[in-house]
């Protein structure tokens, strides 16, 4: 990936970053890079994720999914990092089957999905590092029963990706299921380039080797200067802008199939950096659609935002048929891609025009290698930002409290006294 | 809808609102309500939208869509308010066919969709008030050609919803297409309860009369006090919290089929209130999924957020099959709905526990009447908030600048000088 941070400089934007500050920050980037390289060399928890392009065993993934290669669809049961990396790949790239994700606990959704699917030709991909994630296990039990009710042997169609022990590992052993390991030292939100993200993609015919090659190239680019490393330039500019009041980071791809990428990045950023009162709020947007929804706010609302555009330089196109419609002369001879790109450039300029900081991330095209590079680059950017913020990038302690409360409620505990009620109801 | 704003009071939250302030604010709510009632009585631009439940002619909609009643799918071509209201209804409610939306200009998406669709059984629903929206007309021209290429007479399968004049009106007249009017005085983002939102829903078998009945009941509840009007309670509390630093409003339904509702609200809020440096940034989230993605940030990041939960008290459920899994005793005998509700209550408490303001919007169930009421309630809440902010709720001036620039770019204008470049590329 390439990046252009010109519209985040104080010559254009407020909040904006001065060149002098960036030069000083670059010294901290050099130190942080040393820390990151050390973490990678020692395979420290979290930092190990940045070694995945060199470590992931795509041949083992191909072997594990081989029995499921004839599937017309893959149903992944997993939540958070166990689903979002895979979903980013299968939504962004061409597949030779359908990808479905049960990444919520919603009875209406589960019933609808199980009604619609032909389970005979659907691979079941169950993902949980601990093997004890409540939502995932509950959904798995429901889906397993649906396979049985449909007269399909679920053990013939199931792949499990999990850690060394736990319920899922036991189940896989008991039923002799193909099982892939979740790599050590890799938090869920950093697992897109591991077995977790790549296995469903492989079943659906995605060139996972190119995904990894693209990530490797990005890994090669890591250096001690933000001026030479696109990923670090992004990590550094988000950090610097957050410190200057850009509490919101709008991630706005101009490609429909990258919508899930924005979801993935939102998890990566929020869980890694949302700590100690810090962390930008990621907002998932989509160009050109959200020009007709959110642009009014971005241009005329509070200057508390960075907008991150994601754009591919090349890709398929469709000509707009000639129609000589009144007032639409500018569409004559144009294509949908040209219209989209003109809207993208105009939106970028329209934010610069009012001084709202924005950044352009560019990839060559929405293909396996470029998307692999993009995912790796954003992971490196987030790790760098964590070093600059001084937070514990790889933990998510604030998620645990609610999990325990939910368990207690299901066990019959009383209502909670943290909350207060002031109800307003219709007459 | 009902609302509980207890967790937004300063007894629980910081930022939070005191009861004394709410009492004072309630006097301004009474004045604002008078203004709104006057606007409705005079059918003033924008305020007229709040009269839709009494004005919309569902019989005329039924007549116009009758020729398309045998469709197995509806492809709506429209962007922003021309798509989001309809999509909210067709995603939230059971339909007897598939709903597709071309609400972007993306060549890859358009090609894929036209490859997948059986155009013979697909109704084409083209929506643009002006009849000149570039994205919509461009997509329409491409889709029309695809019908012709497939040997299907598009004029037999097309419904147009547009204003009194413009390209689309001319086309409808020329080809004798069924055409529905966009009502006067109703901005796109307030048009869900008009022809614009209801026509595609009607084709797909949704009980649009119940949607309108639900909206009517909500309309009846409007009164001069926030303590008696759920919609005004929401508008008032968002306003008060924004003034106290809650720049972000996370809209988090706990029902998968309400995900599009969060998109719809995001447009309604951003375009109506994102003005004069004001306006909360709407963030679309989804429970329980985003507990595994965003909750870390909400609980441990900056206290610059309101979280708005949306929850239905009743609905379908699915039992979790017994499995006696280690450490998962609490799932024994439980259902997916109970697990979801426990997670919802735990998340609500976990935010209250750290003083992050949150609000609970409740509907009876995700059905036509409740969703109609919810949409109307949020529109009224937004109009009330606009009165309190003192902004021009019904315009969107900041969107125009970029549109003109995009047109100029397509006509061959030079690159823009608003932007600056600082590129970082891979070695």
């Amino acid at each position: 990936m390439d990046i252009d941070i010109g519209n985040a400089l104080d010559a254009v934007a407020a909040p904006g970053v001065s060149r002098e500050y960036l030069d000083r920050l670059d010294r901290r980037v050099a130190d942080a890079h040393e820390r990151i390289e050390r973490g990678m060399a020692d395979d420290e928890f979290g930092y190990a994720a940045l070694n995945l392009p060199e470590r992931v065993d795509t041949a083992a993934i191909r072997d594990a999914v081989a029995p499921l290669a004839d599937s017309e669809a893959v149903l992944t049961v997993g939540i958070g990092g166990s689903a979002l990396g895979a979903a980013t790949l299968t939504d962004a790239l061409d597949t030779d089957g359908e990808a479905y994700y049960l990444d919520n606990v919603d009875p209406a959704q589960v019933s609808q999905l199980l009604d619609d699917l032909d389970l005979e030709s659907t691979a079941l991909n169950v993902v949980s590092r601990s093997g004890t994630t409540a939502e995932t296990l509950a959904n798995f039990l429901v889906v397993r029963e649906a396979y049985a009710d449909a007269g399909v042997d679920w053990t013939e169609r199931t792949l499990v990706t999990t850690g060394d022990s736990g319920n899922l590992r036991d189940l896989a052993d008991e039923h002799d299921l193909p099982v892939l390991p979740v790599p050590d030292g890799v938090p869920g939100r950093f697992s897109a380039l591991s077995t977790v993200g790549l296995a469903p993609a492989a079943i659906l015919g995605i060139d996972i080797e190119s995904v990894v090659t693209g990530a490797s190239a990005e890994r090669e680019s890591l250096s001690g200067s933000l001026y030479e490393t696109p990923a670090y330039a992004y990590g550094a500019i988000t950090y610097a802008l957050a410190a200057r009041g850009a509490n919101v980071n709008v991630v706005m791809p101009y490609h429909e199939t990258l919508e899930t990428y924005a979801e993935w990045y939102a998890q990566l950023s929020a869980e890694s950096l949302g700590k100690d009162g810090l962390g930008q709020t990621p907002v998932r947007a989509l160009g050109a659609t959200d020009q007709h929804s959110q642009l009014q706010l971005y241009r005329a609302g509070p200057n508390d935002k960075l907008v991150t555009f994601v754009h591919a330089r090349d890709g398929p196109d469709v000509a707009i048929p000639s129609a000589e419609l009144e007032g639409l002369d500018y569409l004559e001879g144009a294509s949908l891609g040209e219209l989209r790109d003109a809207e993208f450039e105009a939106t970028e300029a329209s934010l610069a025009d009012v001084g709202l900081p924005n950044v352009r991330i560019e990839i060559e095209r929405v293909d396996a290698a470029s998307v692999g590079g993009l995912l790796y680059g954003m992971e490196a950017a987030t790790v760098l930002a964590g070093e600059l913020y001084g937070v514990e990038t790889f933990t998510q302690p604030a998620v645990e409290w609610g999990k325990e409360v939910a368990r207690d409620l299901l066990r019959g505990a009383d209502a909670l006294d943290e909350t207060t009620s002031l109800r307003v109801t219709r007459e």
Side-chain angles (χ1 to χ4, degrees), chain A:
Chain A
M1 64 182 225
D2 297 334
I3 186 166
D4 195 322
I5 59 172
N7 291 340
L9 299 178
D10 62 358
V12 171
V17 182
S18 72
R19 281 299 301 253
E20 294 70 29
Y21 176 82
L22 270 189
D23 289 345
R24 287 196 300 275
L25 186 59
D26 203 33
R27 279 171 247 152
R28 290 185 58 201
V29 170
D31 291 343
H33 176 62
E34 268 190 37
R35 173 70 191 89
I36 293 169
E37 290 238 296
R38 203 164 62 242
M40 289 168 68
D42 296 346
D43 261 330
E44 280 182 66
F45 184 76
Y47 298 100
L50 297 179
N51 290 324
L52 281 171
E54 276 66 53
R55 300 278 168 80
V56 66
D57 186 347
T58 53
I61 295 173
R62 294 266 177 220
D63 283 349
V65 307
L68 303 169
D70 61 335
S71 306
E72 284 167 23
V74 178
L75 172 58
T76 294
V77 178
I79 195 163
S82 296
L84 280 170
T88 299
L89 293 173
T90 59
D91 286 355
L93 304 171
D94 287 340
T95 57
D96 54 21
E98 292 294 322
Y100 299 94
Y101 294 87
L102 274 183
D103 62 348
N104 202 349
V105 270
D106 184 303
Q109 180 203 25
V110 173
S111 304
Q112 182 74 52
L113 189 60
L114 291 174
D115 276 355
D116 290 349
L117 282 178
D118 172 25
L119 295 176
E120 182 73 46
S121 61
T122 300
L124 176 59
N125 174 45
V126 190
V127 188
S128 164
R129 168 196 292 278
S130 66
T132 59
T133 311
E135 296 91 337
T136 301
L137 271 293
N139 279 329
F140 167 65
L141 294 175
V142 170
V143 172
R144 185 171 74 165
E145 189 172 76
Y147 271 83
D149 290 348
V152 181
D153 182 356
W154 67 275
T155 66
E156 295 290 312
R157 307 231 49 86
T158 300
L159 167 71
V160 167
T161 304
T162 191
D164 291 335
S165 60
N167 291 310
L168 274 184
R169 173 64 68 168
D170 296 344
L171 263 160
D173 290 347
E174 183 185 338
H175 297 283
D176 202 23
L177 308 177
V179 58
L180 283 166
V182 177
D184 282 340
V186 178
R189 59 188 174 276
F190 284 90
S191 69
L193 299 166
S194 78
T195 51
V196 175
L198 297 176
I203 302 174
L204 292 172
I206 287 174
D207 180 0
I208 60 171
E209 290 77 11
S210 286
V211 173
V212 173
T213 304
S216 272
E218 206 65 39
R219 188 241 167 291
E220 293 299 317
S221 81
L222 299 185
S223 81
S225 170
L226 71 91
Y227 295 115
E228 290 166 13
T229 311
Y232 288 169
Y234 189 64
I237 205 77
T238 55
Y239 162 76
L241 286 169
R244 286 158 179 73
N247 287 0
V248 167
N249 182 2
V250 176
V251 180
M252 191 169 183
Y254 264 74
H255 302 271
E256 190 84 16
T257 64
L258 290 180
E259 196 168 13
T260 310
Y261 158 79
E263 301 259 356
W264 171 84
Y265 176 78
Q267 185 201 18
L268 181 69
S269 169
E271 283 202 337
S272 299
L273 307 175
K275 281 152 198 178
D276 302 319
L278 301 171
Q280 290 181 306
T281 298
V283 173
R284 302 155 263 192
L286 181 66
T289 305
D290 278 318
Q291 293 173 207
H292 296 258
S293 168
Q294 302 301 297
L295 186 58
Q296 167 70 36
L297 171 73
Y298 300 164
R299 207 167 128 87
N303 259 30
D304 61 353
K305 298 167 196 72
L306 157 69
V307 175
T308 301
F309 297 109
V310 184
H311 181 250
R313 276 185 288 267
D314 203 1
D317 209 347
V318 170
I320 301 171
S322 177
E324 296 183 10
L325 296 173
E326 203 183 317
L328 292 168
D329 62 282
Y330 59 93
L331 293 183
E332 287 294 319
S335 66
L336 291 182
E338 285 163 0
L339 176 57
R340 187 255 327 272
D341 289 350
E343 298 206 19
F344 162 54
E345 285 183 41
T347 300
E348 191 179 49
S350 106
L351 298 184
D353 177 59
V354 295
L356 196 82
N358 61 89
V359 160
R360 178 198 288 218
I361 291 171
E362 279 197 320
I363 57 177
E364 194 53 38
R365 49 194 306 141
V366 184
D367 63 14
S370 285
V371 172
L374 178 64
L375 297 184
Y376 187 92
M378 288 298 122
E379 291 182 12
T382 303
V383 175
L384 187 274
E387 302 294 335
L388 297 176
Y389 277 113
V391 296
E392 292 204 352
T393 306
F394 303 113
T395 62
Q396 55 286 339
V399 183
E400 292 307 317
W401 194 95
K403 281 190 195 176
E404 279 170 43
V405 171
R407 280 189 286 256
D408 290 345
L409 284 172
L410 280 169
R411 286 182 180 123
D414 289 337
L416 300 151
D417 60 3
E418 280 79 7
T419 60
T420 296
S421 187
L422 174 57
R423 297 197 65 197
V424 180
T425 59
R426 284 205 322 241
E427 295 292 282

